[in-house]
Amino acid sequence: MAELAAAIDLEAAAASRRHFWSRFAIYGLLTVFAAIYLIPLLVVVFNSFREQAEIARDGLISLPKTFRLEAWAQAWSTYCIAGTCQGMQRNFLNSLWMTIPATIISTLLGAVNGYVLSKWRFKGSEILFTSMLLGVFMPGQIALMPWAFVLGKLGLTNSTYGLILVHVVQGISFTTLFCRNYYVGIPDDLIKAARIDGAGFWRIFWKIIIPLSPPILIVTVIWQFTGIWNEYLFGVVFTSGQAQPITAALVALTASGTTARSYDVMSAAVLIGALPPLLIYLFGGKYFVRGLTQGAIK
């Protein structure tokens, strides 16, 4: 018995060592990948607080020896971009004015579409849903010419309102897909019971569907906000000058000038442009993952 107990202890110790080293290897690889992903962000953050003379002397990749906020102020309000010296402020506000309404409208339309296509099916609804899915796979470049024609006819060229319209329509396919797949999991008997009680289309939507929708609506809002904020193609094609969103201004910032680059100001400008999506994921990331998981389970 003593020999058996000793053999069991040796086997348990060996299994414990294997478990330890396997976990050590996994976490080591994850740490390496996280460092590879985060180092460029840290370089930009450090450079936004360093002096330009220090960056020129020590290089871009170096720990800061000084801490200053002047680069942030210049990037926001005074730095010259594409011939104007008003910083990123106007373009940042353009992106906010474009992204918030487009996100809200496209999410609401996607929720209504998903509700109709999942709970109020009609003849040809599956064909309609399949046709809407084409928008998920269609690259934005294909829509440039049609959108140029539509915006020109509506008088919305070179305006934030035109970009709002573009992003609302372009985003409907994604929001409809998310919401429809989520609403399929809601029991049909719940909708039938509400109909028997006399509830109509909109009453069921606002009193039953929407209260059950926060997980998928959070996913949709984060997805839409991030995608619209970071979108560059439509912003640079359909707007110019001070009407452009912040992504177009950032590209113009990096491409402008032939003299020495102000890497401190450029780093601050990049962080200003990245701040809203970062905050969205910082405060809503766990809800995003939770909503995707619940949608998958449903």
Side-chain angles (χ1 to χ4, degrees), residues 177-220:
L177 172 64
F178 293 158
C179 292
R180 186 262 185 190
N181 289 345
Y182 184 84
Y183 293 156
V184 165
I186 297 177
D188 292 335
D189 292 340
L190 189 63
I191 308 300
K192 292 178 182 178
R195 290 183 185 177
I196 293 174
D197 291 339
F201 178 89
W202 291 110
R203 189 172 184 84
I204 294 173
F205 179 72
W206 290 113
K207 297 296 184 179
I208 297 178
I209 299 297
I210 291 298
L212 296 174
S213 300
I216 197 61
L217 292 183
I218 291 172
V219 171
T220 305

Side-chain angles (χ1 to χ4, degrees), residues 18-294:
R18 289 195 301 270
H19 177 74
F20 170 79
W21 286 112
S22 64
R23 303 295 290 182
F24 180 82
I26 292 173
Y27 284 111
L29 286 175
L30 291 176
T31 302
V32 171
F33 292 144
I36 293 174
Y37 184 80
L38 291 176
I39 283 175
L41 176 61
L42 292 176
V43 169
V44 174
V45 172
F46 289 156
N47 287 335
S48 69
F49 297 111
R50 298 169 66 194
E51 293 182 353
Q52 178 60 29
E54 179 187 339
I55 296 176
R57 182 181 66 251
D58 299 336
L60 289 173
I61 303 177
S62 178
L63 293 175
K65 298 181 177 63
T66 58
F67 184 88
R68 54 194 293 272
L69 296 174
E70 285 81 356
W72 287 77
Q74 293 180 42
W76 178 251
S77 60
T78 62
Y79 196 72
C80 297
I81 304 171
T84 60
C85 298
Q86 300 178 10
M88 310 291 296
Q89 180 178 2
R90 179 62 181 174
N91 304 102
F92 184 91
L93 296 176
N94 287 341
S95 287
L96 277 182
W97 176 239
M98 170 189 71
T99 305
I100 294 175
T103 299
I104 295 174
I105 296 172
S106 61
T107 298
L108 289 176
L109 291 176
V112 173
N113 289 341
Y115 168 53
V116 171
L117 294 172
S118 60
K119 300 304 175 186
W120 294 76
R121 294 191 180 100
F122 51 89
K123 186 176 181 180
S125 60
E126 292 298 324
I127 297 175
L128 177 61
F129 177 62
T130 304
S131 301
M132 295 184 70
L133 286 184
L134 293 177
V136 175
F137 306 101
M138 185 175 65
Q141 293 86 342
I142 294 178
L144 287 180
M145 288 299 293
W147 272 123
F149 176 79
V150 171
L151 295 180
K153 289 294 184 180
L154 296 177
L156 296 177
T157 55
N158 200 31
S159 71
T160 305
Y161 297 104
L163 291 180
I164 292 174
L165 176 62
V166 170
H167 288 298
V168 166
V169 176
Q170 292 290 128
I172 286 178
S173 56
F174 286 97
T175 58
T176 300
L177 172 64
F178 293 158
C179 292
R180 186 262 185 190
N181 289 345
Y182 184 84
Y183 293 156
V184 165
I186 297 177
D188 292 335
D189 292 340
L190 189 63
I191 308 300
K192 292 178 182 178
R195 290 183 185 177
I196 293 174
D197 291 339
F201 178 89
W202 291 110
R203 189 172 184 84
I204 294 173
F205 179 72
W206 290 113
K207 297 296 184 179
I208 297 178
I209 299 297
I210 291 298
L212 296 174
S213 300
I216 197 61
L217 292 183
I218 291 172
V219 171
T220 305
V221 166
I222 294 176
W223 178 277
Q224 283 296 97
F225 185 95
T226 305
I228 296 171
W229 183 274
N230 292 329
E231 200 279 328
Y232 168 73
L233 179 64
F234 295 128
V236 76
V237 171
F238 298 132
T239 58
S240 61
Q242 289 298 300
Q244 289 188 324
I246 197 166
T247 49
L250 286 173
V251 173
L253 173 65
T254 58
S256 62
T258 57
T259 58
R261 300 291 181 88
S262 299
Y263 290 108
D264 55 341
V265 179
M266 294 171 64
S267 299
V270 168
L271 290 175
I272 290 173
L275 196 57
L278 287 176
L279 291 176
I280 287 289
Y281 274 108
L282 179 63
F283 293 106
K286 63 179 180 180
Y287 302 106
F288 183 81
V289 175
R290 187 182 304 170
L292 286 178
T293 305
Q294 291 186 14

